[in-house]
């Protein structure tokens, strides 16, 4: 539902600025929580971190409703503060869990299913949104009743969070169990934050993490600035469709058994980068045209609707594909479940900082998101070099799987040794 609200353009409000301020605050708090997310989630456990996150979800829907219905801005901004804390716990827990739960040879499929599930939430939200905002000629924000439906669905997350099983009780579909590290103290966990943040894995992927969701702030502003209410409603419905194809297609590439893990990482990076470059060039060309000749509020019946909406449609696929690929790559370096949580927390911290900066930058956008498009394109270009270095060092097998196999072999050998009886003593003859 959070993605569905973002898909409304400016949160569905009449002007995107207030939504951008609230969203910048949300991602600032989310980044802070993610920075300490490894120790928090490893101490609380994945289940309880997800419970805390689920408890915070209804704050967002209710705050947008109050702003739209009563013009109440303080709750939207204060709610973003608390929602950012809760969703930070959720962010770290869900990324660590999905990277850990997936069997080695099916990580691409599992990660695609995760990303697509998030987009299916936007699909449901889009259907609700379009049903409430389909009348032609309506200006301003979306119907306030739209947020009530979102709020009801957000409230449904909490009971499901209680059903999550602890990772140490999980048996994967291929029969393997999850390798868990020995428990360490809270101070020990905090000390590992600096090691994780300064590791080769995070340092080389830092710009990619910062860029990965940077586009959302600019594209949300683009929709809110140039598209009519019902066009924004339609966009929130149809945008997730192609994402399903794109993410599962990438998952198929990343799970190819006939190709080494390193080669799959290289093919995946090339695929994601090329698709994103095409989308950003297209979006910059469209925005330059708009700067020369403002189109007004574009309706879906207008002749320019398709060419101006399609870049947004495709970025809603290439963006999630970039996320899915990066989590697959991070899990390729994991040594245990706790390492996945720390790596995921570090990546999501940098990702949230990028989103906070993007939305903060767009609070100043009065007429043109062109600067945002150019900055996003520049960040992608800057991220490619370090990512090539990282991808070329991808191990051929996941270290956690290798360690787990060695431990299993060690236990089997010990069991065999204990099962062999010592030979009976032979009487010595003089």
């Amino acid at each position: 539902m959070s993605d569905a609200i973002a898909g409304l353009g400016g949160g569905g409000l009449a002007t995107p600025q207030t939504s951008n301020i609230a969203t910048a605050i949300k991602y600032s708090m989310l980044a802070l929580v993610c920075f300490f997310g490894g120790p928090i989630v490893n101490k609380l456990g994945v289940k309880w971190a997800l419970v805390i996150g689920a408890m915070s979800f209804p704050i967002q829907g209710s705050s947008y409703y109050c702003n739209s219905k009563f013009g109440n801005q303080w709750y939207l901004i204060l709610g973003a503060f608390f929602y950012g804390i809760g969703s930070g716990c959720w962010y770290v827990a869900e990324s660590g869990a999905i990277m850990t739960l997936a069997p080695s040879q099916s990580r691409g499929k599992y990660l695609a299913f995760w990303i697509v599930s998030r987009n299916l939430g936007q699909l449901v939200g889009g259907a609700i949104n379009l049903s409430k905002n389909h009348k032609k000629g309506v200006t301003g924000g979306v119907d306030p009743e739209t947020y009530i439906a979102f709020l009801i669905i957000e409230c449904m997350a909490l009971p499901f969070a209680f059903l999550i099983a602890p990772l140490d009780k999980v048996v994967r579909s291929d029969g393997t169990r999850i390798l868990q590290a020995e428990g360490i103290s809270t101070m020990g966990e905090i000390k590992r934050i600096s090691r994780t943040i300064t590791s080769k894995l995070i340092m080389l992927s830092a710009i990619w993490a910062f860029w990965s969701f940077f586009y959302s702030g600019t594209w949300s502003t683009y929709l809110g600035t140039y598209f009519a209410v019902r066009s924004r409603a339609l966009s929130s419905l149809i945008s997730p469709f192609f994402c399903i194809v794109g993410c599962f297609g990438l998952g198929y590439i990343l799970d190819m058994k006939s190709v080494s893990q390193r080669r799959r990482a290289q093919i995946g990076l090339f695929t994601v980068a090329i698709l994103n470059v095409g989308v950003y060039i297209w979006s910059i060309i469209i925005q330059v045209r708009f700067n020369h000749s403002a189109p007004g509020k574009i309706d879906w019946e207008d002749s320019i609707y398709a060419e101006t909406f399609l870049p947004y449609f495709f970025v809603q696929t290439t963006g999630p594909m970039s996320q899915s690929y990066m989590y697959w790559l991070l899990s390729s370096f994991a040594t245990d479940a706790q390492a996945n949580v720390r790596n995921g927390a570090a990546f999501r911290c940098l990702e949230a900082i990028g989103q906070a900066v993007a939305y903060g930058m767009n609070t100043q956008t009065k007429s043109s998101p062109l600067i945002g498009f150019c900055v996003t394109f520049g960040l992608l270009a800057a991220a490619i070099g370090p990512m090539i270095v990282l991808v070329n060092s991808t191990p051929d097998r996941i270290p956690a799987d290798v360690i787990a196999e060695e431990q299993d072999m060690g236990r089997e050998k010990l069991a065999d040794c204990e099962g062999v009886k010592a030979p009976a003593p032979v009487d010595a003859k003089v």
Side-chain angles (χ1 to χ4, degrees):
M1 293 303 101
S2 179
D3 287 348
I5 290 173
L8 298 175
L13 303 181
T15 59
Q17 277 69 40
T18 305
S19 175
N20 286 341
I21 292 170
T23 308
I25 292 171
K26 179 187 80 171
Y27 283 115
S28 297
M29 295 310 303
L30 196 152
L32 181 62
V33 173
C34 285
F35 182 80
F36 296 101
I40 292 171
V41 174
N42 284 336
K43 286 297 178 182
L44 287 176
V46 166
K47 174 179 178 176
W48 293 106
L50 292 177
V51 167
I52 291 172
M55 289 172 63
S56 73
F57 289 166
I59 296 174
Q60 186 181 34
S62 61
S63 65
Y64 272 91
Y65 173 77
C66 289
N67 181 272
S68 181
K69 184 77 171 179
F70 310 111
N72 188 328
Q73 293 191 357
W74 70 264
Y75 179 36
L76 183 67
I77 293 172
L78 181 63
F81 175 85
F82 291 106
Y83 173 69
I85 294 173
S87 59
C89 292
W90 176 277
Y91 256 47
V92 177
E94 67 163 351
S95 60
I98 198 65
M99 288 192 292
T100 303
L101 290 170
S104 176
Q105 298 302 317
S106 303
R107 285 176 298 136
K109 180 179 71 176
Y110 273 63
L111 287 162
F113 182 74
W114 170 45
I115 297 294
V116 166
S117 295
R118 295 174 63 184
N119 277 270
L120 288 177
Q122 184 176 340
L123 185 64
V124 172
I128 295 168
N129 182 27
L130 186 59
S131 70
K132 293 284 186 180
N133 302 279
H134 61 276
K135 294 181 180 178
K136 184 176 181 179
V138 176
T139 59
V142 302
D143 187 335
E145 302 301 316
T146 306
Y147 300 109
I148 292 183
F150 289 176
L151 177 58
I152 292 170
I153 297 175
E154 286 173 332
C155 290
M156 293 171 62
L158 184 58
F160 284 94
F162 282 106
L163 300 177
I164 302 295
L167 293 182
D168 59 353
K169 297 185 182 298
V170 171
V171 179
R172 297 189 183 100
S173 57
D174 61 359
T176 60
R177 288 186 175 272
I178 293 171
L179 180 65
Q180 299 268 42
E182 293 183 6
I184 60 176
S185 66
T186 302
M187 284 305 300
E189 282 279 3
I190 291 174
K191 288 179 181 177
R192 294 199 179 188
I193 293 175
S194 59
R195 279 192 233 164
T196 301
I197 290 291
T198 57
S199 66
K200 175 184 176 182
L201 177 61
I202 299 302
M203 293 294 286
L204 290 175
S205 63
I207 302 177
W208 185 278
F210 189 87
W211 160 79
S212 62
F213 257 146
F214 196 89
Y215 69 88
S216 59
T218 302
W219 278 108
S220 179
T221 303
Y222 175 82
L223 277 185
T225 302
Y226 295 116
F227 288 79
V229 170
R230 71 172 189 167
S231 296
R232 290 153 67 183
L234 179 63
S235 75
S236 66
L237 172 64
I238 65 177
S239 296
F241 276 105
F242 197 61
C243 176
I244 298 173
V245 177
C247 286
F248 276 109
L250 179 64
Y252 173 79
I253 293 173
L254 297 177
D255 286 341
M256 289 189 298
K257 295 180 176 61
S258 58
V259 182
S260 70
Q261 182 168 263
R262 184 175 301 170
R263 181 62 66 188
R264 282 178 276 153
Q266 293 167 340
I267 295 172
L269 177 63
F270 178 81
T271 301
V272 170
I274 288 296
L275 291 175
N276 275 286
V277 166
V279 170
Y280 288 128
I281 291 175
W282 190 351
S283 63
I284 289 172
I285 291 172
I286 292 292
Q287 187 56 56
V288 168
R289 283 173 48 192
F290 282 179
N291 285 357
H292 282 89
S293 178
K297 293 292 185 178
I298 302 171
D299 187 73
W300 70 49
E301 293 182 355
D302 294 339
S303 59
I304 64 169
Y305 174 76
E307 64 175 309
T308 55
F309 169 71
L310 280 176
Y312 177 82
F313 177 76
F314 286 123
V315 85
Q316 294 301 311
T317 297
T318 60
M321 284 175 66
S322 306
Q323 291 275 306
S324 183
Y325 170 75
M326 194 62 224
Y327 287 114
W328 179 90
L329 187 64
L330 288 176
S331 65
S332 300
F333 290 85
T335 54
D336 51 57
Q338 285 76 10
N340 265 334
V341 171
R342 293 188 198 98
N343 292 337
F347 184 83
R348 301 209 89 160
C349 174
L350 294 167
E351 170 195 304
I353 292 172
Q355 287 174 289
V357 172
Y359 280 100
M361 184 174 68
N362 281 284
T363 60
Q364 304 302 314
T365 300
K366 301 298 182 183
S367 59
S368 171
L370 180 60
I371 293 176
F373 287 138
C374 292
V375 170
T376 308
F377 192 22
L379 286 171
L380 172 60
I384 294 297
M387 282 295 291
I388 291 173
V389 175
L390 177 61
V391 164
N392 288 339
S393 65
T394 305
D396 287 328
R397 295 192 62 201
I398 303 173
D401 289 348
V402 176
I403 296 171
E405 287 181 11
E406 291 174 350
Q407 290 180 350
D408 289 342
M409 290 176 62
R411 282 191 288 268
E412 289 175 3
K413 288 181 180 179
L414 181 61
D416 290 341
C417 291
E418 290 177 347
V420 176
K421 295 182 179 180
V426 179
D427 293 335
K429 293 183 180 180
V430 180

